Amino acid sequence: MSTISTTHDHAHDHAHDHPHGWRRWLFATNHKDIGTMYLIFAFVSLLAGGVMALGIRLELFQPGLQYLRPEFFNQLTTMHGLVMVFGAIMPAFVGFANWMIPLQIGASDMAFARMNNFSFWILPVAALLLFGSFLAPGGAPSGGWTLYAPLTLQMGPGMDMAIFALHLLGASSIMGSINIIVTILNMRAPGMTLMKMPMFCWTWLITAYLLIAVMPVLAGAITMVLTDRHFGTSFFSAAGGGDPVMYQHIFWFFGHPEVYIMILPAFGIISEVVPVFARKRLFGYASMVYATSSIAILSFIVWAHHMFTTGMPVTGQLFFMYATMLIAVPTGVKIFNWVATMWKGSMTFETPMLWAIGFIFVFTIGGFTGLVLAMAPIDIGLQDTYYVVAHFHYVLVAGSLFAMFAGFYYWCPKWTGRMADEFRGKIHFWGSMFFFNLTFFPMHFLGLAGMPRRYADYPTQFADFNLIASIGGLGFGLMQVYFLLYVVLPAYRGHGKKAPDSPWETANTLEWTVPSPAPFHTFEQPPKVS
Amino acid sequence: MNIRKLLTKIWFALGFGIWSVTVAAQDMPGGPKVNQLNFPAPATKIMEEIHWLHWFMMIICLLIFIGVFSVMFYSIYKHRKSKGAQPASFHESTSVEIIWTVIPLLIVIGMALPATKTVVAMKDTTNADITIKTTGYQWKWGYDYIKGEGEGISFLSTLSTSREAINNLAPKSPTYLMEVDHEMVVPVNKKIRMITTANDVIHAWAVPAFGVKQDAIPGFVRDTWFRAEKIGTFRGQCSELCGAQHAFMPIVVRVVSDEDYTKWVAEKKKEMAANADDPSKVYTLAEQMDRGAKVYATNCAACHQPNGKGAGAFPALDGSKVALGPKAGNFTILINGKGAMPKWGGVLSDGDLAAVMTYYRNAWGNKTGEVVQTQEFASVRAGK
């Protein structure tokens, strides 16, 4: 009966009442804690994947085989891709979503708090399986992150571990997506119509639908590989009536929307940051929503542009070429919108804005090389060369990763209660920008000159550009260690300037109405949006 | 390995490392130039068109890039708070939105039209003068001339760069990694239809100067074509990840005049006739060891290593219970493959298989003293 008398006090104290110690994390149901765990997981993966990339660059520093055997080199290229896509970029965006979506729509938490916990804790298990494959006989999978059959049928048990890891990661993504969709559709504060939502929530809503649509397709493809490997089926083996190219069709039906899964939330972050630092409304909010949706829909009908060299019929090549080039239109609309938002604004260039402008600049280069690659005849010259490697690093590193850095510097005050150090942030930005381009720009030339990707060794004529790329890669890696040690950790340890609730002048989304750092519970009473 | 050997190795590695960066900077005939910035010089009409398309795209993209980013950087320069810029309040303009959707759409259509013509031309493999089937193996290419002059010629084409050069124990030539023992030879100005297929996993047959890249898919055939307009040697590399030695299965095509081609065909046919095995011939141990060593070096050493010690996932043959075990088990693995071990039946001749089996059962520390004869493989493959 004592509870009755304490009800009032309890409600008062609620914002600070939460489990402590390991229970807080293992049994976490709080969207902010889970978001933080996602971000930590992603950053650890980023560093692990980065070390693998440096191993690759070390071997390619000079022609000849110096440090790695080619079969281990192939394991590194494969695992670098898998870890960066499924371990770093995707979980990082889910981390951003967990932190920011409830805060931006005025919800008290994610819709399914315990599923949220589950979808996170699947990840470390999957990561153990994935990294553990290095210890399996025959090592980690070495068939490329695309896991093309029938090469994957030749791998050792490491391949099976990777397949199970991907199943788990896919399940986690699907749960995360369901959570995000339900949260956004049902838990918006009164008065916040869909067309009043911040762009970040819009892009994630669309991304979540893409994830639900395509993750099962990946699961299907790799399960068929699994049964081909062990249970005598021959989905992808011609000897039993299967077709190796069918694997590629199924994989890329997942793979191309996957590319947009990794970039749409980045568009969302940039659309939040640019208006705030230009002190001007986003130029075309509605057209941004429509452009994002068109990109998402088009992403389902362009997959075979990854397969121009498989020998498709001429009509197939033409269809996929035209459809792919069409994507340039909504993507262009986005770039124009950001530029129009800056036009006649009153801009300042704090670190988040630098990253956002850097993103627009370098991502556009990646977009243009994408347009070049969309042309089937040119693609046949460039397929599987370093030009493709350059292209997708321009859109995934300079795209997704740079946008996430913009997001970190932008929301760091809300997450940590401290402003990220401006000076160090600028060093991080300019250093990353320089070394990123040093690493990947020369790869365009290597690709045009014909250097195939996934090669452990190369003709001596390619030596100089490879040497430059290796130096750039090391520099880029070190900049991210600098970011961790000198920007992220100090902010979390409470060094640096204390952040006010709303540190950026014109930021008017809901997350800036709660204290910095955001308390454990926010919006227990939904805010009213006019 | 003793210390002196190790030091010599390090010395060689250092020496050739420095040498490869400084001295080896030399263009490859028929391959990439040093620090080449663009596509290779075209040797076919198709590649000329690809060059043109690429420049056309580059120029349009560059113009748009300059246009968009001069607006952005002008805005960054002018409309900054530190210069006292006051934010305007305009947003949403349907007419602007329509303009910047329609204009890019028109540009994209303008880009797609010339590309369409080239796509259609690249796909037209009809009316070929010569048809050659190429088969991708882990890790080499096989060529079978199946129609036109030279019909019946068939050979394997393997990387001829030495393992020492790859491991930095010998200097790297300008054609490092893009040289083979048997080049594919075609006459100039003739339409060559290439049929691609593969024996194990997907490979891709590519010659950049021809504008040709076609996946070779096990169990399926695909085709592409080229008409080389220049006499000379043209080089490419396998362009679809096919396993550990993916980087070591180049493609070399020698384009020759019609007369030279006729001569080559005659020579090649004579050579093939001389090499044909008489299945009933009985070879001595020395003969088989000699021939087997060569077969081993080109086909087996990449995985099992020249010293037979294996590497990583690839098992050692020296002292191996399987390799020295009953002959029957060896026949099965050699002919049908096992796991990462490719099927060699139908790839190597029975004579080569017998020789290489004799070799690895008598090389290094292995001393069975047995000679395997061509006849034995022939009967196993015939199911006897």
Side-chain angles (χ1 to χ4, degrees):
Chain A
M1 295 301 108
S2 61
T3 45
I4 295 168
S5 60
T6 57
T7 312
H8 188 77
D9 280 356
H10 179 78
H12 177 75
D13 201 33
H14 195 67
H16 304 284
D17 173 34
H18 58 72
H20 291 274
W22 59 271
R23 279 184 186 81
R24 171 175 175 185
W25 304 104
L26 187 61
F27 302 140
T29 50
N30 179 285
H31 72 101
K32 301 182 189 79
D33 282 356
I34 294 175
T36 304
M37 289 196 291
Y38 263 109
L39 291 169
I40 293 171
F41 177 86
F43 202 85
V44 172
S45 298
L46 180 80
L47 293 181
V51 168
M52 294 176 197
L54 289 182
I56 294 168
R57 287 311 331 165
L58 177 71
E59 180 53 56
L60 295 178
F61 186 62
Q62 285 190 341
L65 294 178
Q66 285 88 8
Y67 308 99
L68 310 177
R69 297 217 46 82
E71 48 275 18
F72 185 64
F73 178 90
N74 288 350
Q75 293 175 28
L76 285 188
T77 54
T78 306
M79 291 292 286
H80 167 72
L82 289 173
V83 167
M84 287 304 198
V85 168
F86 294 101
I89 302 285
M90 290 171 69
F93 276 130
V94 180
F96 273 86
N98 257 295
W99 250 103
M100 299 322 300
I101 287 175
L103 286 181
Q104 287 197 321
I105 63 172
S108 56
D109 205 310
M110 296 295 281
F112 305 117
R114 286 186 203 286
M115 186 165 82
N116 207 8
N117 172 293
F118 189 43
S119 69
F120 171 76
W121 280 110
I122 286 178
L123 293 184
V125 179
L128 272 181
L129 264 175
L130 194 58
F131 286 107
S133 68
F134 273 117
L135 305 175
S142 55
W145 85 277
T146 49
L147 307 175
Y148 276 9
L151 185 57
T152 39
L153 307 182
Q154 291 185 346
M155 309 273 135
M159 185 69 223
D160 304 315
M161 295 170 76
I163 287 176
F164 288 130
L166 288 183
H167 278 143
L168 291 175
L169 292 166
S172 162
S173 287
I174 291 173
M175 282 190 266
S177 304
I178 292 174
N179 218 339
I180 286 165
I181 292 174
V182 175
T183 307
I184 290 178
L185 293 185
N186 291 308
M187 296 177 65
R188 295 190 313 280
M192 180 175 282
T193 58
L194 279 176
M195 289 309 270
K196 279 187 187 162
M197 266 195 325
M199 271 312 291
F200 179 66
C201 299
W202 254 116
T203 52
W204 241 117
L205 179 65
I206 293 165
T207 304
Y209 277 107
L210 282 182
L211 271 167
I212 291 182
V214 301
M215 290 313 289
V217 178
L218 173 70
I222 57 180
T223 306
M224 285 149 98
V225 170
L226 192 73
T227 62
D228 269 12
R229 283 169 56 79
H230 297 297
F231 309 134
T233 57
S234 14
F235 293 109
F236 307 127
S237 150
D243 182 353
V245 178
M246 179 58 81
Y247 174 84
Q248 298 182 24
H249 280 292
I250 302 174
F251 179 85
W252 287 113
F253 189 85
F254 146 81
H256 203 78
E258 168 71 11
V259 171
Y260 294 103
I261 286 166
M262 292 189 279
I263 199 65
L264 295 184
F267 289 163
I269 293 174
I270 300 304
S271 305
E272 297 288 312
V273 171
V274 169
V276 167
F277 295 91
R279 292 170 181 71
K280 192 160 152 279
R281 278 179 69 169
L282 188 63
F283 179 78
Y285 175 90
S287 75
M288 282 298 233
V289 172
Y290 301 143
T292 311
S293 315
S294 335
I295 293 175
I297 292 164
L298 284 175
S299 76
F300 285 104
I301 57 163
V302 298
W303 76 88
H305 67 219
H306 297 269
M307 303 163 53
F308 282 145
T309 59
T310 55
M312 262 184 286
V314 66
T315 41
Q317 287 206 354
L318 291 177
F319 170 76
F320 286 107
M321 177 172 90
Y322 298 151
T324 306
M325 298 184 81
L326 218 51
I327 292 193
V329 176
T331 314
V333 167
K334 287 189 157 287
I335 307 276
F336 299 145
N337 260 302
W338 290 321
V339 174
T341 306
M342 290 184 207
W343 186 254
K344 297 219 163 171
S346 168
M347 276 187 273
T348 51
F349 302 94
E350 288 90 343
T351 318
M353 184 63 161
L354 285 183
W355 282 106
I357 293 171
F359 165 94
I360 298 173
F361 190 72
V362 225
F363 176 79
T364 304
I365 297 178
F368 279 133
T369 55
L371 200 53
V372 171
L373 286 169
M375 306 269 277
I378 304 180
D379 180 77
I380 285 170
L382 296 174
Q383 165 86 27
D384 257 89
T385 68
Y386 264 83
Y387 193 92
V388 177
V389 176
H391 160 69
F392 68 68
H393 282 93
Y394 266 83
V395 290
L396 284 180
V397 179
S400 310
L401 189 63
F402 279 19
M404 283 194 272
F405 286 140
F408 172 81
Y409 286 98
Y410 180 57
W411 283 311
C412 176
K414 195 54 61 189
W415 295 351
T416 66
R418 302 282 162 166
M419 304 301 288
D421 192 294
E422 269 299 314
F423 179 70
R424 290 175 181 180
K426 281 180 175 138
I427 292 180
H428 177 216
F429 169 74
W430 288 109
S432 297
M433 197 69 173
F434 173 75
F435 284 118
F436 169 79
N437 283 292
L438 193 67
T439 313
F440 294 105
F441 203 76
M443 291 187 186
H444 292 114
F445 302 132
L446 285 175
L448 283 164
M451 178 172 164
R453 63 191 280 215
R454 295 163 167 171
Y455 262 33
D457 192 9
Y458 51 84
T460 50
Q461 289 78 6
F462 298 134
D464 292 356
F465 286 138
N466 272 293
L467 184 133
I468 293 170
S470 289
I471 294 170
L474 180 64
F476 189 77
L478 290 177
M479 287 320 296
Q480 308 326 315
V481 175
Y482 173 84
F483 168 65
L484 174 68
L485 296 182
Y486 292 94
V487 181
V488 178
L489 290 183
Y492 274 97
R493 287 198 185 120
H495 300 295
K497 217 165 69 192
K498 254 189 155 10
D501 293 355
S502 183
W504 317 115
E505 264 174 58
T506 54
N508 57 3
T509 36
L510 283 177
E511 73 265 31
W512 306 111
T513 61
V514 302
S516 293
F520 198 68
H521 294 294
T522 40
F523 297 126
E524 284 167 288
Q525 298 302 316
K528 190 96 183 96
V529 180
S530 53
Chain B
M1 188 184 313
N2 61 36
I3 301 276
R4 241 181 82 197
K5 259 189 177 165
L6 187 75
L7 280 176
T8 327
K9 246 188 152 176
I10 292 175
W11 176 242
F12 264 97
L14 269 178
F16 288 122
I18 294 164
W19 178 85
S20 68
V21 175
T22 51
V23 188
Q26 198 181 334
D27 293 348
M28 187 190 302
K33 297 194 174 3
V34 175
N35 299 340
Q36 182 180 321
L37 299 179
N38 199 354
F39 278 126
T44 62
K45 275 262 153 32
I46 293 286
M47 193 58 196
E48 266 170 40
E49 286 179 36
I50 293 177
H51 259 266
W52 183 88
L53 279 172
H54 184 246
W55 276 117
F56 166 76
M57 291 293 289
M58 282 290 283
I59 290 165
I60 297 178
C61 290
L62 206 63
L63 289 178
I64 301 173
F65 193 81
I66 292 170
V68 171
F69 287 101
S70 24
V71 174
M72 190 177 93
F73 284 111
Y74 176 82
S75 177
I76 287 173
Y77 177 71
K78 273 281 184 190
H79 308 142
R80 49 170 74 209
K81 199 183 175 194
S82 55
K83 290 203 165 188
Q86 290 299 313
S89 63
F90 66 84
H91 66 95
E92 308 270 352
S93 156
T94 314
S95 40
V96 172
E97 301 277 0
I98 289 175
I99 290 169
W100 72 32
T101 308
V102 171
I103 292 179
L105 187 66
L106 295 177
I107 295 176
V108 162
I109 293 171
M111 287 170 165
L113 288 180
T116 304
K117 209 178 83 232
T118 310
V119 169
V120 174
M122 286 172 102
K123 279 293 186 183
D124 177 21
T125 54
T126 53
N127 298 321
D129 299 305
I130 294 176
T131 303
I132 304 173
K133 184 180 93 173
T134 180
T135 309
Y137 300 99
Q138 284 172 319
W139 291 274
K140 62 175 67 54
W141 291 97
Y143 296 102
D144 296 281
Y145 288 59
I146 57 178
K147 217 172 150 202
E149 192 183 354
E151 194 175 321
I153 292 178
S154 162
F155 55 91
L156 290 173
S157 172
T158 316
L159 177 72
S160 59
T161 303
S162 70
R163 285 280 135 190
E164 288 73 35
I166 292 170
N167 292 324
N168 310 304
L169 300 170
K172 295 176 172 50
S173 74
T175 51
Y176 176 67
L177 294 188
M178 293 179 85
E179 51 198 0
V180 294
D181 50 359
H182 303 290
E183 295 159 352
M184 179 179 125
V185 178
V186 296
V188 71
N189 286 323
K190 287 275 171 5
K191 184 165 184 174
I192 314 292
R193 175 172 175 235
M194 293 299 300
I195 296 181
T196 66
T197 186
N199 190 49
D200 30 52
V201 298
I202 304 174
H203 304 264
W205 195 85
V207 180
F210 295 166
V212 165
K213 185 177 289 156
Q214 176 58 56
D215 285 2
I217 301 161
F220 289 82
V221 288
R222 293 287 198 272
D223 65 351
T224 183
W225 69 278
F226 63 89
R227 187 196 296 274
E229 294 175 342
K230 285 180 193 155
I231 288 178
T233 303
F234 300 94
R235 297 166 203 272
Q237 290 174 294
C238 177
S239 300
E240 182 63 64
L241 179 59
C242 59
Q245 309 293 317
H246 174 44
F248 307 113
M249 50 179 292
I251 294 129
V252 181
V253 179
R254 201 165 81 228
V255 180
V256 297
S257 67
D258 282 345
E259 305 88 77
D260 286 349
Y261 182 70
T262 310
K263 253 188 256 164
W264 177 80
V265 168
E267 266 169 42
K268 200 77 191 171
K269 291 220 160 150
K270 221 192 282 170
E271 192 188 310
M272 281 174 67
N275 280 350
D277 284 302
D278 174 4
S280 55
K281 185 172 173 194
V282 176
Y283 296 92
T284 66
L285 180 63
E287 280 170 338
Q288 288 295 66
M289 285 295 283
D290 241 27
R291 180 172 174 188
K294 284 184 203 125
V295 178
Y296 185 86
T298 36
N299 300 290
C300 318
C303 297
H304 296 292
Q305 302 303 307
N307 58 10
K309 298 276 186 217
F314 305 115
L317 299 177
D318 190 9
S320 151
K321 272 189 197 140
V322 180
L324 295 172
K327 279 185 180 180
N330 283 257
F331 292 145
T332 317
I333 294 180
L334 281 167
I335 293 172
N336 300 322
K338 186 189 171 193
M341 168 91 174
K343 300 186 197 71
W344 291 105
V347 179
L348 294 177
S349 66
D350 293 339
D352 281 345
L353 284 171
V356 80
M357 185 165 153
T358 310
Y359 175 74
Y360 71 67
R361 285 161 73 90
N362 291 289
W364 321 297
N366 295 353
K367 296 277 174 274
T368 57
E370 287 170 0
V371 189
V372 184
Q373 300 296 348
T374 311
Q375 184 63 49
E376 298 178 57
F377 265 93
S379 17
V380 173
R381 297 217 303 132
K384 283 176 213 159

